[in-house]
Amino acid sequence: MSTSAGDVKCKRLEGKVALVTAATAGIGLAIAERLAQEGANVFICSRKQSNVDETVSALRNLGLEVSGCACHVGSAEQRRRLVEQCVQRYGGLDILVSNAAVNPGAGPLAETPPDVIDKILDINIKSAVLLVQEALPHLIQRPGASIVFVSSVTAFSPPEPIAMYAVSKTALLGLTKGLAAELGPRGVRVNCVAPGIVPTKFSAALVQTPELASAQAEATLLKRLGRPEEQAAAVAYLVSPDAAYVTGETLVVAGGMHSRL
């Protein structure tokens, strides 16, 4: 866990219910922890129930209100059950953070096998849209509801060897704009966070040697890699009342790395 519950003083999310996918490690875990620190009741998921149980226990030991269940976001039945269990546990849903993603293969775009393309598009884009559809009937009932997609700074200039993954993250920028236009009149804000290079298990290939990690750090204006809690702070802002007039935006949290399409 990144911090103790006492380290975050503001309680902008008191009385809110947040659902965070892929939240038992890395950036997702940091987001779940931060939202709970700010007063939200947080429901998490991961593919393995054992990981969910361990994370819920650890966060509750920090005095945070967290529950969760196993969910493979590529399954329609498991998505339905995820939202249903969250609403049953906490009585509603105010915040959806769509963080789940896969990168089953690496290499040039022109050589990416069809099965790798299918899996990336299915989980990183299709499942994100369908999860919103599942959650929307609950979100529109709550004033100040919001959705945040977790993209990547690589969305702006997809690099080899993770270009196909990065292209799926580019799609989330468009999804954010499109949903924000549709859902704004219904009272739901939709935004996106594009993290830079944050050393986690998921990004291990980008920082697997000291030389690679140093090169990634040099690509930033701050000359360092990011931390999960810095991404979590950005998400906490976007789902809070402080961002009540912010929708359709992508907040790049990447230490000044290039981030323009």
Side-chain angles (χ1 to χ4, degrees):
M1 304 299 142
S2 57
T3 58
S4 69
D7 291 335
V8 175
K9 304 301 183 187
C10 56
K11 298 288 185 181
R12 295 177 291 187
L13 305 178
E14 290 279 12
K16 300 292 186 181
V17 177
L19 174 57
V20 185
T21 63
T24 60
I27 290 172
L29 172 57
I31 292 169
E33 183 176 357
R34 177 60 184 260
L35 300 189
Q37 286 172 339
E38 292 218 20
N41 297 322
V42 179
F43 201 89
I44 67 169
C45 74
S46 182
R47 283 177 293 179
K48 294 182 180 179
Q49 186 64 49
S50 59
N51 291 344
V52 173
D53 292 342
E54 290 172 12
T55 301
V56 167
S57 177
L59 292 175
R60 285 181 177 174
N61 285 339
L62 295 176
L64 304 174
E65 179 49 51
V66 180
S67 296
C69 69
C71 176
H72 189 303
V73 297
S75 162
E77 173 58 28
Q78 292 187 42
R79 286 192 304 269
R80 184 196 62 76
R81 190 177 71 229
L82 172 67
V83 174
E84 184 179 81
Q85 290 193 21
C86 174
V87 172
Q88 286 178 349
R89 178 72 177 86
Y90 292 122
L93 181 60
D94 302 274
I95 296 161
L96 173 64
V97 181
S98 181
N99 175 60
V102 296
N103 186 25
L109 273 172
E111 299 173 14
T112 305
D115 61 323
V116 171
I117 295 173
D118 287 344
K119 187 167 185 179
I120 288 174
L121 297 182
D122 184 52
I123 300 300
N124 298 5
I125 302 171
K126 180 181 176 182
S127 294
V129 178
L130 295 176
L131 184 60
V132 168
Q133 292 180 5
E134 198 70 54
L136 191 57
H138 305 284
L139 291 169
I140 60 175
Q141 296 179 36
R142 312 281 277 216
S146 69
I147 298 166
V148 172
F149 296 107
V150 178
S151 178
S152 168
V153 70
T154 63
F156 296 94
S157 187
E160 198 180 333
I162 59 165
M164 191 64 231
Y165 163 83
V167 166
S168 74
K169 293 299 190 175
T170 310
L172 291 181
L173 310 185
L175 181 60
T176 297
K177 290 288 189 185
L179 279 173
E182 285 185 23
L183 301 184
R186 303 177 76 179
V188 180
R189 296 183 300 106
V190 185
N191 290 294
C192 186
V193 168
I197 308 303
V198 179
T200 64
K201 183 179 179 181
F202 192 84
S203 65
L206 298 176
V207 292
Q208 60 188 349
T209 67
E211 292 77 17
L212 272 174
S214 178
Q216 296 289 3
E218 280 300 310
T220 74
L221 300 184
L222 296 179
K223 305 305 177 186
R224 69 171 176 84
L225 299 176
R227 296 189 290 268
E229 56 266 31
E230 292 167 333
Q231 309 303 323
V235 173
Y237 161 70
L238 287 173
V239 303
S240 79
D242 287 339
Y245 201 51
V246 179
T247 196
E249 299 297 339
T250 295
L251 178 54
V252 180
V253 188
M257 291 181 74
H258 178 76
S259 57
R260 291 291 180 271
L261 285 176

